[in-house]
Amino acid sequence: MTIKSRLKIMMSLQFFIWGCWLVTLGSYMFNTLHFSGTQVGGVYSTIGLASLLMPSLVGIIADRWIKANRLYGICHFLGAIFLFSAAGISEPNLMFWAMLFNAMVYMPTISLSYTISYFCLEKVGLDTTKDFPSVRVFGTISFILAMWVISLGGFELSNIQLYMAAGASVLLALYSFTLPDCPTSNVKKDKSLVSLLGLDAFVLFKQKRMAVFFIFAMLLGAALQINLAFADPFLHDFASIANYKDSLVVKYPAILLSMGQIAEVFFILAIPFFLRKFGIKTVMLLSMVAWTLRFILFAYGNPSNVGVILLLLSMIVYGAAFDFFNISGSIFVEKEVDRRIRGSAQGLFMTMVNGIGTYVGAVLSGKLVDYFTINGVKDWQNIWLVFAVYTFVLAIVFAVSFKYKNDRDAIKNVNNVA
């Protein structure tokens, strides 16, 4: 088996684990465990809390003390234990802690999987820029597959989704020890703790343009978390309406939501064209507009004939909402910052999006859902419209406050980056 094939298996298992529960756990907690919106948001906030520091700390350990592939296996084995424990929990506080510990060991494995891939590809003389995307795409495909398995198996409202994720974690933990050993000498011993943690990138906040960019990265991270936590529960709630309870949207909501991941694949391929045509600021602005459309279409979508079209359109715009900011934002960081802190700056970008933004979005959106819940019934239309207003205001403020005139110069080499 070629190294690329082995890495595709690793990447498939990596994101199959996440696909088993990330989109559907909210419905399980709402409908089966009867958690409140605040409690569901609290559980999802663990992803943000874990992303604040753990990827950097685990990265230091992988660089200096434990080979990346072995540490990767250890993290997934621990993750399996926490997921298995979470499957047997029905109390909100215990669920929070179980999923926090799982996030603390899972979130670092995403970057570790990239590190392992880059090393293995370079070891056999392959071009990481050219060959890594064809490896990474298997993660997205596997994430979609997991959502389909959970939905078609009828596990969206069951703890089986957590047991399946735990089983996949054990399998990946064992598989990781078959991968080539990664070196542990990539970090110079004389680097300061500040540099090792990526904190030296915070000097970028002295630049107004970069400060504005990172603040909006955080605010859009909140929008992403709102979507992850509550999209699936929203679709499940149509089961309470007699005319809709037998519709495919209600029976298999995760399959409908997976259309968004499928759209991601196409928008990733379209990013080079959009960047060349419109420039990086406009592309990031389009992401915010896409988030607004996503939430508006949710507000007026339903399982009826016309309503389903609106829901499908919301899945299409999700691809642009997610990809246009995350990928173009990463390109912007790569282009703008000093070469000596590019790695730290990329880490800061991810911390703002997946750390602070995710945590804030999970907590505040949970409170908002509870605010619009009366006698146990959620007013989803107003909930989604509030979120739409939020992202629309972000788009207006971003258009006015983010100054970047050399858009076309910033993406001369976008084809190579993408």
Side-chain angles (χ1 to χ4, degrees), residues 230-376:
F230 298 110
D232 196 66
F234 156 66
L235 296 176
H236 271 287
D237 268 7
F238 283 114
S240 62
I241 302 175
N243 292 340
Y244 299 147
K245 65 180 181 179
D246 293 325
S247 72
L248 294 177
V249 169
V250 173
K251 288 183 176 180
Y252 308 110
I255 291 180
L256 175 63
L257 292 172
S258 74
M259 299 298 118
Q261 276 70 40
I262 294 173
E264 280 184 48
V265 176
F266 293 99
F267 277 105
I268 287 174
L269 299 176
I271 282 176
F273 167 78
F274 276 89
L275 285 174
R276 286 195 305 270
K277 185 72 173 178
F278 303 108
I280 197 166
K281 177 179 177 178
T282 301
V283 170
M284 292 191 291
L285 187 60
L286 285 173
S287 171
M288 300 177 195
V289 174
W291 276 118
T292 302
L293 290 175
R294 163 77 160 182
F295 295 140
I296 290 175
L297 290 167
F298 264 180
Y300 294 100
N302 57 58
S304 68
N305 292 335
V306 177
V308 166
I309 295 175
L310 297 180
L311 291 177
L312 287 172
L313 288 174
S314 75
M315 304 306 151
I316 294 174
V317 299
Y318 171 79
F322 181 83
D323 288 333
F324 276 13
F325 187 82
N326 282 270
I327 295 180
S328 62
S330 178
I331 293 172
F332 173 75
V333 171
E334 177 69 17
K335 174 69 172 61
E336 290 298 309
V337 305
D338 189 284
R339 182 180 299 275
R340 292 169 296 180
I341 61 169
R342 280 179 178 173
S344 299
Q346 291 290 353
L348 177 59
F349 176 60
M350 295 307 297
T351 296
M352 297 300 287
V353 175
N354 294 328
I356 300 174
T358 292
Y359 177 76
V360 172
V363 172
L364 295 184
S365 63
K367 293 182 181 298
L368 181 69
V369 169
D370 283 345
Y371 178 81
F372 281 102
T373 300
I374 301 175
N375 296 324

Side-chain angles (χ1 to χ4, degrees), residues 135-308:
V135 172
R136 174 58 182 83
V137 73
F138 275 78
T140 301
I141 294 172
S142 186
F143 189 97
I144 296 169
L145 175 63
M147 293 177 66
W148 280 57
V149 170
I150 295 299
S151 189
L152 292 174
F155 304 138
E156 292 191 37
L157 304 181
S158 167
N159 60 355
I160 297 297
Q161 60 186 284
L162 293 170
Y163 283 125
M164 288 184 62
S169 295
V170 172
L171 184 60
L172 182 52
L174 296 174
Y175 180 75
S176 67
F177 290 98
T178 71
L179 296 171
D181 283 341
C182 299
T184 57
S185 58
N186 292 338
V187 175
K188 294 180 180 179
K189 307 300 182 182
D190 59 350
K191 277 195 174 183
S192 66
L193 181 61
V194 170
S195 295
L196 288 172
L197 293 176
L199 299 180
D200 46 5
F202 275 88
V203 70
L204 294 171
F205 277 98
K206 293 181 179 180
Q207 304 174 30
K208 181 179 178 181
R209 181 175 61 190
M210 296 305 296
V212 170
F213 170 78
F214 282 122
I215 289 172
F216 277 92
M218 176 193 71
L219 295 174
L220 277 183
L224 173 61
Q225 188 61 14
I226 290 166
N227 175 79
L228 288 175
F230 298 110
D232 196 66
F234 156 66
L235 296 176
H236 271 287
D237 268 7
F238 283 114
S240 62
I241 302 175
N243 292 340
Y244 299 147
K245 65 180 181 179
D246 293 325
S247 72
L248 294 177
V249 169
V250 173
K251 288 183 176 180
Y252 308 110
I255 291 180
L256 175 63
L257 292 172
S258 74
M259 299 298 118
Q261 276 70 40
I262 294 173
E264 280 184 48
V265 176
F266 293 99
F267 277 105
I268 287 174
L269 299 176
I271 282 176
F273 167 78
F274 276 89
L275 285 174
R276 286 195 305 270
K277 185 72 173 178
F278 303 108
I280 197 166
K281 177 179 177 178
T282 301
V283 170
M284 292 191 291
L285 187 60
L286 285 173
S287 171
M288 300 177 195
V289 174
W291 276 118
T292 302
L293 290 175
R294 163 77 160 182
F295 295 140
I296 290 175
L297 290 167
F298 264 180
Y300 294 100
N302 57 58
S304 68
N305 292 335
V306 177
V308 166

